[in-house]
Amino acid sequence: MGKILLIGDRYTVSLFRTMGAEGKVIEDPFALEKEIETAKKREDLDLVLITRDLYEPVREKLDGVISTQTKPLVTIIPSPFSESKPVDVRKMVLKALGFG
């Protein structure tokens, strides 16, 4: 089974690390593109989660990169600092593993 990487704020990364996921804290949304490119090169990753508050400022720039990415699957999740609908993490993980 592949790994999950969360890119986001300190709080959200800490929460996901307690569940066994890797985490990368980023303060600057404009550094996000470089982190995604680095993650795409890793063969051990199946899922990359990015917090919405990091993604929103650079959304237009990254939409093309994220929408065409299949392995690892890149998806946006809400953080405690963003407003959004609940996320079905189980469904995302199954999709990343090719079962959904």
Side-chain angles (χ1 to χ4, degrees):
M1 183 170 152
K3 295 180 180 179
I4 298 171
L5 171 67
L6 173 79
I7 303 173
D9 59 89
R10 292 184 191 283
Y11 179 75
T12 309
V13 167
S14 294
L15 289 174
F16 273 77
R17 282 182 180 159
T18 62
M19 294 184 288
E22 287 186 42
K24 177 78 176 180
V25 176
I26 294 182
E27 305 285 335
D28 180 15
F30 297 97
L32 190 54
E33 184 175 15
K34 181 180 175 188
E35 291 301 325
I36 292 172
E37 291 300 322
T38 301
K40 285 169 55 174
K41 296 175 186 172
R42 290 186 49 188
E43 294 184 20
D44 63 331
L45 284 178
D46 280 337
L47 180 62
V48 176
L49 304 172
I50 301 169
T51 55
R52 184 171 307 282
D53 54 320
L54 265 181
Y55 171 72
E56 286 299 329
V58 290
R59 172 184 217 139
E60 290 178 9
K61 187 175 184 179
L62 295 179
D63 272 347
V65 174
I66 291 174
S67 64
T68 60
Q69 185 63 32
T70 57
K71 173 104 169 86
L73 177 67
V74 178
T75 192
I76 311 306
I77 64 168
S79 74
F81 310 108
S82 62
E83 295 181 26
S84 188
K85 299 181 226 175
V87 174
D88 186 350
V89 176
R90 183 175 183 268
K91 183 177 179 180
M92 281 191 300
V93 171
L94 288 174
K95 184 176 179 181
L97 297 174
F99 296 109

PDB file of all heavy atoms in Angstrom, residues 13-47:
ATOM      1  N   VAL A  13      -1.262  19.183   9.407  1.00  0.00           N
ATOM      2  CA  VAL A  13      -0.176  18.218   9.204  1.00  0.00           C
ATOM      3  C   VAL A  13       0.038  17.392  10.466  1.00  0.00           C
ATOM      4  O   VAL A  13       0.184  16.172  10.404  1.00  0.00           O
ATOM      5  CB  VAL A  13       1.131  18.931   8.773  1.00  0.00           C
ATOM      6  CG1 VAL A  13       2.326  18.003   8.866  1.00  0.00           C
ATOM      7  CG2 VAL A  13       0.992  19.469   7.356  1.00  0.00           C
ATOM      8  N   SER A  14       0.009  18.018  11.623  1.00  0.00           N
ATOM      9  CA  SER A  14       0.177  17.296  12.891  1.00  0.00           C
ATOM     10  C   SER A  14      -0.921  16.256  13.084  1.00  0.00           C
ATOM     11  O   SER A  14      -0.655  15.129  13.514  1.00  0.00           O
ATOM     12  CB  SER A  14       0.166  18.266  14.076  1.00  0.00           C
ATOM     13  OG  SER A  14       1.272  19.109  14.026  1.00  0.00           O
ATOM     14  N   LEU A  15      -2.157  16.620  12.765  1.00  0.00           N
ATOM     15  CA  LEU A  15      -3.270  15.676  12.894  1.00  0.00           C
ATOM     16  C   LEU A  15      -3.078  14.463  11.988  1.00  0.00           C
ATOM     17  O   LEU A  15      -3.282  13.320  12.400  1.00  0.00           O
ATOM     18  CB  LEU A  15      -4.595  16.354  12.565  1.00  0.00           C
ATOM     19  CG  LEU A  15      -5.114  17.360  13.571  1.00  0.00           C
ATOM     20  CD1 LEU A  15      -6.358  18.049  13.039  1.00  0.00           C
ATOM     21  CD2 LEU A  15      -5.427  16.676  14.889  1.00  0.00           C
ATOM     22  N   PHE A  16      -2.696  14.690  10.751  1.00  0.00           N
ATOM     23  CA  PHE A  16      -2.521  13.584   9.818  1.00  0.00           C
ATOM     24  C   PHE A  16      -1.310  12.732  10.163  1.00  0.00           C
ATOM     25  O   PHE A  16      -1.302  11.528   9.924  1.00  0.00           O
ATOM     26  CB  PHE A  16      -2.450  14.100   8.378  1.00  0.00           C
ATOM     27  CG  PHE A  16      -3.799  14.244   7.742  1.00  0.00           C
ATOM     28  CD1 PHE A  16      -4.619  15.315   8.060  1.00  0.00           C
ATOM     29  CD2 PHE A  16      -4.263  13.300   6.849  1.00  0.00           C
ATOM     30  CE1 PHE A  16      -5.871  15.449   7.492  1.00  0.00           C
ATOM     31  CE2 PHE A  16      -5.517  13.420   6.274  1.00  0.00           C
ATOM     32  CZ  PHE A  16      -6.322  14.500   6.602  1.00  0.00           C
ATOM     33  N   ARG A  17      -0.288  13.345  10.736  1.00  0.00           N
ATOM     34  CA  ARG A  17       0.880  12.559  11.161  1.00  0.00           C
ATOM     35  C   ARG A  17       0.504  11.586  12.272  1.00  0.00           C
ATOM     36  O   ARG A  17       1.039  10.489  12.331  1.00  0.00           O
ATOM     37  CB  ARG A  17       2.006  13.480  11.621  1.00  0.00           C
ATOM     38  CG  ARG A  17       2.761  14.101  10.479  1.00  0.00           C
ATOM     39  CD  ARG A  17       3.904  14.959  10.970  1.00  0.00           C
ATOM     40  NE  ARG A  17       4.629  15.548   9.858  1.00  0.00           N
ATOM     41  CZ  ARG A  17       5.384  16.617   9.956  1.00  0.00           C
ATOM     42  NH1 ARG A  17       5.534  17.233  11.119  1.00  0.00           N
ATOM     43  NH2 ARG A  17       6.008  17.084   8.901  1.00  0.00           N
ATOM     44  N   THR A  18      -0.416  11.969  13.146  1.00  0.00           N
ATOM     45  CA  THR A  18      -0.838  11.048  14.208  1.00  0.00           C
ATOM     46  C   THR A  18      -1.579   9.842  13.643  1.00  0.00           C
ATOM     47  O   THR A  18      -1.654   8.801  14.287  1.00  0.00           O
ATOM     48  CB  THR A  18      -1.746  11.744  15.254  1.00  0.00           C
ATOM     49  OG1 THR A  18      -2.932  12.191  14.620  1.00  0.00           O
ATOM     50  CG2 THR A  18      -1.020  12.880  15.942  1.00  0.00           C
ATOM     51  N   MET A  19      -2.095   9.971  12.413  1.00  0.00           N
ATOM     52  CA  MET A  19      -2.787   8.858  11.759  1.00  0.00           C
ATOM     53  C   MET A  19      -1.853   8.079  10.831  1.00  0.00           C
ATOM     54  O   MET A  19      -2.295   7.191  10.111  1.00  0.00           O
ATOM     55  CB  MET A  19      -3.985   9.376  10.960  1.00  0.00           C
ATOM     56  CG  MET A  19      -5.062   9.964  11.842  1.00  0.00           C
ATOM     57  SD  MET A  19      -6.524  10.471  10.913  1.00  0.00           S
ATOM     58  CE  MET A  19      -5.944  11.900  10.052  1.00  0.00           C
ATOM     59  N   GLY A  20      -0.569   8.445  10.811  1.00  0.00           N
ATOM     60  CA  GLY A  20       0.395   7.691  10.032  1.00  0.00           C
ATOM     61  C   GLY A  20       0.736   8.261   8.673  1.00  0.00           C
ATOM     62  O   GLY A  20       1.528   7.675   7.940  1.00  0.00           O
ATOM     63  N   ALA A  21       0.166   9.378   8.312  1.00  0.00           N
ATOM     64  CA  ALA A  21       0.474   9.999   7.018  1.00  0.00           C
ATOM     65  C   ALA A  21       1.739  10.844   7.144  1.00  0.00           C
ATOM     66  O   ALA A  21       2.093  11.297   8.226  1.00  0.00           O
ATOM     67  CB  ALA A  21      -0.683  10.871   6.558  1.00  0.00           C
ATOM     68  N   GLU A  22       2.397  11.043   6.027  1.00  0.00           N
ATOM     69  CA  GLU A  22       3.517  11.980   5.995  1.00  0.00           C
ATOM     70  C   GLU A  22       2.951  13.382   5.909  1.00  0.00           C
ATOM     71  O   GLU A  22       1.819  13.572   5.448  1.00  0.00           O
ATOM     72  CB  GLU A  22       4.386  11.737   4.756  1.00  0.00           C
ATOM     73  CG  GLU A  22       5.213  10.490   4.827  1.00  0.00           C
ATOM     74  CD  GLU A  22       6.137  10.395   3.633  1.00  0.00           C
ATOM     75  OE1 GLU A  22       6.744  11.422   3.235  1.00  0.00           O
ATOM     76  OE2 GLU A  22       6.246   9.296   3.093  1.00  0.00           O
ATOM     77  N   GLY A  23       3.735  14.357   6.314  1.00  0.00           N
ATOM     78  CA  GLY A  23       3.264  15.725   6.253  1.00  0.00           C
ATOM     79  C   GLY A  23       4.350  16.699   5.894  1.00  0.00           C
ATOM     80  O   GLY A  23       5.506  16.497   6.236  1.00  0.00           O
ATOM     81  N   LYS A  24       3.981  17.736   5.167  1.00  0.00           N
ATOM     82  CA  LYS A  24       4.901  18.803   4.794  1.00  0.00           C
ATOM     83  C   LYS A  24       4.211  20.121   5.104  1.00  0.00           C
ATOM     84  O   LYS A  24       3.153  20.427   4.549  1.00  0.00           O
ATOM     85  CB  LYS A  24       5.237  18.695   3.305  1.00  0.00           C
ATOM     86  CG  LYS A  24       6.117  19.767   2.780  1.00  0.00           C
ATOM     87  CD  LYS A  24       7.548  19.523   3.160  1.00  0.00           C
ATOM     88  CE  LYS A  24       8.413  20.604   2.508  1.00  0.00           C
ATOM     89  NZ  LYS A  24       9.783  20.475   2.793  1.00  0.00           N
ATOM     90  N   VAL A  25       4.790  20.881   6.026  1.00  0.00           N
ATOM     91  CA  VAL A  25       4.229  22.177   6.396  1.00  0.00           C
ATOM     92  C   VAL A  25       4.731  23.225   5.415  1.00  0.00           C
ATOM     93  O   VAL A  25       5.931  23.339   5.177  1.00  0.00           O
ATOM     94  CB  VAL A  25       4.641  22.570   7.831  1.00  0.00           C
ATOM     95  CG1 VAL A  25       4.134  23.964   8.175  1.00  0.00           C
ATOM     96  CG2 VAL A  25       4.128  21.548   8.827  1.00  0.00           C
ATOM     97  N   ILE A  26       3.787  23.962   4.846  1.00  0.00           N
ATOM     98  CA  ILE A  26       4.127  25.045   3.926  1.00  0.00           C
ATOM     99  C   ILE A  26       3.340  26.280   4.347  1.00  0.00           C
ATOM    100  O   ILE A  26       2.131  26.207   4.568  1.00  0.00           O
ATOM    101  CB  ILE A  26       3.777  24.679   2.471  1.00  0.00           C
ATOM    102  CG1 ILE A  26       4.646  23.533   2.005  1.00  0.00           C
ATOM    103  CG2 ILE A  26       3.937  25.883   1.564  1.00  0.00           C
ATOM    104  CD1 ILE A  26       4.405  23.153   0.572  1.00  0.00           C
ATOM    105  N   GLU A  27       4.019  27.388   4.443  1.00  0.00           N
ATOM    106  CA  GLU A  27       3.384  28.653   4.801  1.00  0.00           C
ATOM    107  C   GLU A  27       3.023  29.463   3.551  1.00  0.00           C
ATOM    108  O   GLU A  27       2.039  30.176   3.543  1.00  0.00           O
ATOM    109  CB  GLU A  27       4.328  29.485   5.674  1.00  0.00           C
ATOM    110  CG  GLU A  27       4.825  28.776   6.921  1.00  0.00           C
ATOM    111  CD  GLU A  27       3.787  28.664   8.008  1.00  0.00           C
ATOM    112  OE1 GLU A  27       2.870  29.506   8.038  1.00  0.00           O
ATOM    113  OE2 GLU A  27       3.885  27.739   8.819  1.00  0.00           O
ATOM    114  N   ASP A  28       3.835  29.342   2.503  1.00  0.00           N
ATOM    115  CA  ASP A  28       3.678  30.137   1.292  1.00  0.00           C
ATOM    116  C   ASP A  28       2.972  29.337   0.203  1.00  0.00           C
ATOM    117  O   ASP A  28       3.509  28.347  -0.291  1.00  0.00           O
ATOM    118  CB  ASP A  28       5.057  30.570   0.792  1.00  0.00           C
ATOM    119  CG  ASP A  28       5.004  31.395  -0.471  1.00  0.00           C
ATOM    120  OD1 ASP A  28       3.914  31.884  -0.830  1.00  0.00           O
ATOM    121  OD2 ASP A  28       6.067  31.561  -1.109  1.00  0.00           O
ATOM    122  N   PRO A  29       1.769  29.751  -0.198  1.00  0.00           N
ATOM    123  CA  PRO A  29       1.039  29.016  -1.245  1.00  0.00           C
ATOM    124  C   PRO A  29       1.805  28.923  -2.565  1.00  0.00           C
ATOM    125  O   PRO A  29       1.635  27.982  -3.327  1.00  0.00           O
ATOM    126  CB  PRO A  29      -0.241  29.823  -1.438  1.00  0.00           C
ATOM    127  CG  PRO A  29      -0.388  30.632  -0.213  1.00  0.00           C
ATOM    128  CD  PRO A  29       0.991  30.874   0.317  1.00  0.00           C
ATOM    129  N   PHE A  30       2.676  29.884  -2.827  1.00  0.00           N
ATOM    130  CA  PHE A  30       3.409  29.890  -4.088  1.00  0.00           C
ATOM    131  C   PHE A  30       4.525  28.845  -4.122  1.00  0.00           C
ATOM    132  O   PHE A  30       5.099  28.582  -5.174  1.00  0.00           O
ATOM    133  CB  PHE A  30       3.922  31.295  -4.397  1.00  0.00           C
ATOM    134  CG  PHE A  30       2.788  32.264  -4.592  1.00  0.00           C
ATOM    135  CD1 PHE A  30       2.361  33.083  -3.556  1.00  0.00           C
ATOM    136  CD2 PHE A  30       2.108  32.318  -5.796  1.00  0.00           C
ATOM    137  CE1 PHE A  30       1.289  33.950  -3.724  1.00  0.00           C
ATOM    138  CE2 PHE A  30       1.034  33.177  -5.976  1.00  0.00           C
ATOM    139  CZ  PHE A  30       0.627  33.995  -4.939  1.00  0.00           C
ATOM    140  N   ALA A  31       4.809  28.217  -3.000  1.00  0.00           N
ATOM    141  CA  ALA A  31       5.771  27.108  -2.950  1.00  0.00           C
ATOM    142  C   ALA A  31       5.080  25.775  -3.219  1.00  0.00           C
ATOM    143  O   ALA A  31       5.731  24.743  -3.335  1.00  0.00           O
ATOM    144  CB  ALA A  31       6.459  27.081  -1.593  1.00  0.00           C
ATOM    145  N   LEU A  32       3.776  25.793  -3.331  1.00  0.00           N
ATOM    146  CA  LEU A  32       2.988  24.572  -3.497  1.00  0.00           C
ATOM    147  C   LEU A  32       3.290  23.847  -4.804  1.00  0.00           C
ATOM    148  O   LEU A  32       3.389  22.628  -4.834  1.00  0.00           O
ATOM    149  CB  LEU A  32       1.505  24.912  -3.402  1.00  0.00           C
ATOM    150  CG  LEU A  32       0.523  23.771  -3.313  1.00  0.00           C
ATOM    151  CD1 LEU A  32       0.859  22.830  -2.169  1.00  0.00           C
ATOM    152  CD2 LEU A  32      -0.883  24.313  -3.133  1.00  0.00           C
ATOM    153  N   GLU A  33       3.465  24.576  -5.883  1.00  0.00           N
ATOM    154  CA  GLU A  33       3.732  23.946  -7.182  1.00  0.00           C
ATOM    155  C   GLU A  33       5.014  23.109  -7.131  1.00  0.00           C
ATOM    156  O   GLU A  33       5.056  21.983  -7.627  1.00  0.00           O
ATOM    157  CB  GLU A  33       3.832  25.001  -8.280  1.00  0.00           C
ATOM    158  CG  GLU A  33       4.002  24.400  -9.652  1.00  0.00           C
ATOM    159  CD  GLU A  33       3.974  25.438 -10.760  1.00  0.00           C
ATOM    160  OE1 GLU A  33       4.110  26.645 -10.489  1.00  0.00           O
ATOM    161  OE2 GLU A  33       3.811  25.020 -11.912  1.00  0.00           O
ATOM    162  N   LYS A  34       6.039  23.638  -6.510  1.00  0.00           N
ATOM    163  CA  LYS A  34       7.306  22.904  -6.388  1.00  0.00           C
ATOM    164  C   LYS A  34       7.113  21.625  -5.571  1.00  0.00           C
ATOM    165  O   LYS A  34       7.644  20.566  -5.913  1.00  0.00           O
ATOM    166  CB  LYS A  34       8.363  23.790  -5.741  1.00  0.00           C
ATOM    167  CG  LYS A  34       9.700  23.116  -5.597  1.00  0.00           C
ATOM    168  CD  LYS A  34      10.716  24.026  -4.943  1.00  0.00           C
ATOM    169  CE  LYS A  34      12.010  23.261  -4.708  1.00  0.00           C
ATOM    170  NZ  LYS A  34      12.955  24.021  -3.923  1.00  0.00           N
ATOM    171  N   GLU A  35       6.341  21.699  -4.501  1.00  0.00           N
ATOM    172  CA  GLU A  35       6.098  20.523  -3.655  1.00  0.00           C
ATOM    173  C   GLU A  35       5.302  19.455  -4.401  1.00  0.00           C
ATOM    174  O   GLU A  35       5.548  18.265  -4.245  1.00  0.00           O
ATOM    175  CB  GLU A  35       5.367  20.920  -2.373  1.00  0.00           C
ATOM    176  CG  GLU A  35       6.207  21.732  -1.423  1.00  0.00           C
ATOM    177  CD  GLU A  35       7.470  21.015  -0.975  1.00  0.00           C
ATOM    178  OE1 GLU A  35       7.456  19.786  -0.799  1.00  0.00           O
ATOM    179  OE2 GLU A  35       8.489  21.700  -0.801  1.00  0.00           O
ATOM    180  N   ILE A  36       4.351  19.881  -5.227  1.00  0.00           N
ATOM    181  CA  ILE A  36       3.582  18.921  -6.022  1.00  0.00           C
ATOM    182  C   ILE A  36       4.489  18.228  -7.031  1.00  0.00           C
ATOM    183  O   ILE A  36       4.417  17.013  -7.223  1.00  0.00           O
ATOM    184  CB  ILE A  36       2.389  19.608  -6.718  1.00  0.00           C
ATOM    185  CG1 ILE A  36       1.362  20.047  -5.678  1.00  0.00           C
ATOM    186  CG2 ILE A  36       1.740  18.674  -7.744  1.00  0.00           C
ATOM    187  CD1 ILE A  36       0.250  20.904  -6.234  1.00  0.00           C
ATOM    188  N   GLU A  37       5.360  18.990  -7.674  1.00  0.00           N
ATOM    189  CA  GLU A  37       6.292  18.401  -8.640  1.00  0.00           C
ATOM    190  C   GLU A  37       7.220  17.390  -7.966  1.00  0.00           C
ATOM    191  O   GLU A  37       7.504  16.326  -8.513  1.00  0.00           O
ATOM    192  CB  GLU A  37       7.106  19.489  -9.339  1.00  0.00           C
ATOM    193  CG  GLU A  37       6.295  20.352 -10.282  1.00  0.00           C
ATOM    194  CD  GLU A  37       5.633  19.563 -11.408  1.00  0.00           C
ATOM    195  OE1 GLU A  37       6.261  18.616 -11.935  1.00  0.00           O
ATOM    196  OE2 GLU A  37       4.485  19.879 -11.736  1.00  0.00           O
ATOM    197  N   THR A  38       7.673  17.694  -6.762  1.00  0.00           N
ATOM    198  CA  THR A  38       8.518  16.773  -6.005  1.00  0.00           C
ATOM    199  C   THR A  38       7.740  15.511  -5.657  1.00  0.00           C
ATOM    200  O   THR A  38       8.251  14.398  -5.792  1.00  0.00           O
ATOM    201  CB  THR A  38       9.044  17.447  -4.716  1.00  0.00           C
ATOM    202  OG1 THR A  38       9.787  18.610  -5.082  1.00  0.00           O
ATOM    203  CG2 THR A  38       9.921  16.506  -3.916  1.00  0.00           C
ATOM    204  N   ALA A  39       6.493  15.666  -5.229  1.00  0.00           N
ATOM    205  CA  ALA A  39       5.661  14.520  -4.859  1.00  0.00           C
ATOM    206  C   ALA A  39       5.372  13.627  -6.060  1.00  0.00           C
ATOM    207  O   ALA A  39       5.310  12.402  -5.931  1.00  0.00           O
ATOM    208  CB  ALA A  39       4.360  15.001  -4.225  1.00  0.00           C
ATOM    209  N   LYS A  40       5.188  14.215  -7.249  1.00  0.00           N
ATOM    210  CA  LYS A  40       4.894  13.443  -8.450  1.00  0.00           C
ATOM    211  C   LYS A  40       6.026  12.482  -8.801  1.00  0.00           C
ATOM    212  O   LYS A  40       5.791  11.446  -9.415  1.00  0.00           O
ATOM    213  CB  LYS A  40       4.645  14.386  -9.635  1.00  0.00           C
ATOM    214  CG  LYS A  40       3.297  15.069  -9.578  1.00  0.00           C
ATOM    215  CD  LYS A  40       3.138  16.187 -10.578  1.00  0.00           C
ATOM    216  CE  LYS A  40       3.393  15.826 -12.000  1.00  0.00           C
ATOM    217  NZ  LYS A  40       3.077  16.928 -12.933  1.00  0.00           N
ATOM    218  N   LYS A  41       7.230  12.808  -8.402  1.00  0.00           N
ATOM    219  CA  LYS A  41       8.396  11.972  -8.715  1.00  0.00           C
ATOM    220  C   LYS A  41       8.539  10.784  -7.772  1.00  0.00           C
ATOM    221  O   LYS A  41       9.302   9.868  -8.051  1.00  0.00           O
ATOM    222  CB  LYS A  41       9.661  12.820  -8.674  1.00  0.00           C
ATOM    223  CG  LYS A  41       9.683  13.896  -9.739  1.00  0.00           C
ATOM    224  CD  LYS A  41      10.883  14.783  -9.584  1.00  0.00           C
ATOM    225  CE  LYS A  41      10.803  15.943 -10.580  1.00  0.00           C
ATOM    226  NZ  LYS A  41      11.842  16.929 -10.339  1.00  0.00           N
ATOM    227  N   ARG A  42       7.816  10.797  -6.669  1.00  0.00           N
ATOM    228  CA  ARG A  42       7.924   9.720  -5.683  1.00  0.00           C
ATOM    229  C   ARG A  42       7.021   8.557  -6.057  1.00  0.00           C
ATOM    230  O   ARG A  42       5.815   8.712  -6.186  1.00  0.00           O
ATOM    231  CB  ARG A  42       7.543  10.238  -4.296  1.00  0.00           C
ATOM    232  CG  ARG A  42       8.567  11.193  -3.735  1.00  0.00           C
ATOM    233  CD  ARG A  42       8.263  11.586  -2.333  1.00  0.00           C
ATOM    234  NE  ARG A  42       7.973  10.466  -1.465  1.00  0.00           N
ATOM    235  CZ  ARG A  42       7.531  10.597  -0.224  1.00  0.00           C
ATOM    236  NH1 ARG A  42       7.336  11.795   0.269  1.00  0.00           N
ATOM    237  NH2 ARG A  42       7.284   9.544   0.509  1.00  0.00           N
ATOM    238  N   GLU A  43       7.594   7.388  -6.225  1.00  0.00           N
ATOM    239  CA  GLU A  43       6.831   6.203  -6.609  1.00  0.00           C
ATOM    240  C   GLU A  43       6.088   5.575  -5.435  1.00  0.00           C
ATOM    241  O   GLU A  43       5.174   4.784  -5.641  1.00  0.00           O
ATOM    242  CB  GLU A  43       7.746   5.174  -7.255  1.00  0.00           C
ATOM    243  CG  GLU A  43       8.295   5.661  -8.587  1.00  0.00           C
ATOM    244  CD  GLU A  43       9.123   4.614  -9.283  1.00  0.00           C
ATOM    245  OE1 GLU A  43       8.993   3.412  -8.960  1.00  0.00           O
ATOM    246  OE2 GLU A  43       9.909   5.004 -10.159  1.00  0.00           O
ATOM    247  N   ASP A  44       6.463   5.923  -4.201  1.00  0.00           N
ATOM    248  CA  ASP A  44       5.826   5.319  -3.024  1.00  0.00           C
ATOM    249  C   ASP A  44       4.550   6.042  -2.599  1.00  0.00           C
ATOM    250  O   ASP A  44       3.831   5.562  -1.736  1.00  0.00           O
ATOM    251  CB  ASP A  44       6.803   5.263  -1.852  1.00  0.00           C
ATOM    252  CG  ASP A  44       7.255   6.641  -1.379  1.00  0.00           C
ATOM    253  OD1 ASP A  44       7.288   7.582  -2.214  1.00  0.00           O
ATOM    254  OD2 ASP A  44       7.592   6.773  -0.201  1.00  0.00           O
ATOM    255  N   LEU A  45       4.221   7.167  -3.220  1.00  0.00           N
ATOM    256  CA  LEU A  45       3.026   7.924  -2.854  1.00  0.00           C
ATOM    257  C   LEU A  45       1.829   7.523  -3.710  1.00  0.00           C
ATOM    258  O   LEU A  45       1.946   7.396  -4.925  1.00  0.00           O
ATOM    259  CB  LEU A  45       3.255   9.428  -3.046  1.00  0.00           C
ATOM    260  CG  LEU A  45       4.100  10.148  -2.021  1.00  0.00           C
ATOM    261  CD1 LEU A  45       4.246  11.614  -2.414  1.00  0.00           C
ATOM    262  CD2 LEU A  45       3.531  10.021  -0.640  1.00  0.00           C
ATOM    263  N   ASP A  46       0.676   7.327  -3.068  1.00  0.00           N
ATOM    264  CA  ASP A  46      -0.568   7.077  -3.782  1.00  0.00           C
ATOM    265  C   ASP A  46      -1.524   8.255  -3.698  1.00  0.00           C
ATOM    266  O   ASP A  46      -2.373   8.424  -4.564  1.00  0.00           O
ATOM    267  CB  ASP A  46      -1.274   5.833  -3.220  1.00  0.00           C
ATOM    268  CG  ASP A  46      -0.681   4.556  -3.757  1.00  0.00           C
ATOM    269  OD1 ASP A  46      -0.057   4.578  -4.825  1.00  0.00           O
ATOM    270  OD2 ASP A  46      -0.827   3.518  -3.092  1.00  0.00           O
ATOM    271  N   LEU A  47      -1.403   9.059  -2.646  1.00  0.00           N
ATOM    272  CA  LEU A  47      -2.351  10.141  -2.429  1.00  0.00           C
ATOM    273  C   LEU A  47      -1.636  11.348  -1.844  1.00  0.00           C
ATOM    274  O   LEU A  47      -0.890  11.225  -0.880  1.00  0.00           O
ATOM    275  CB  LEU A  47      -3.457   9.669  -1.473  1.00  0.00           C
ATOM    276  CG  LEU A  47      -4.561  10.638  -1.110  1.00  0.00           C
ATOM    277  CD1 LEU A  47      -5.351  11.066  -2.340  1.00  0.00           C
ATOM    278  CD2 LEU A  47      -5.494  10.004  -0.080  1.00  0.00           C
TER     279      LEU A  47
END
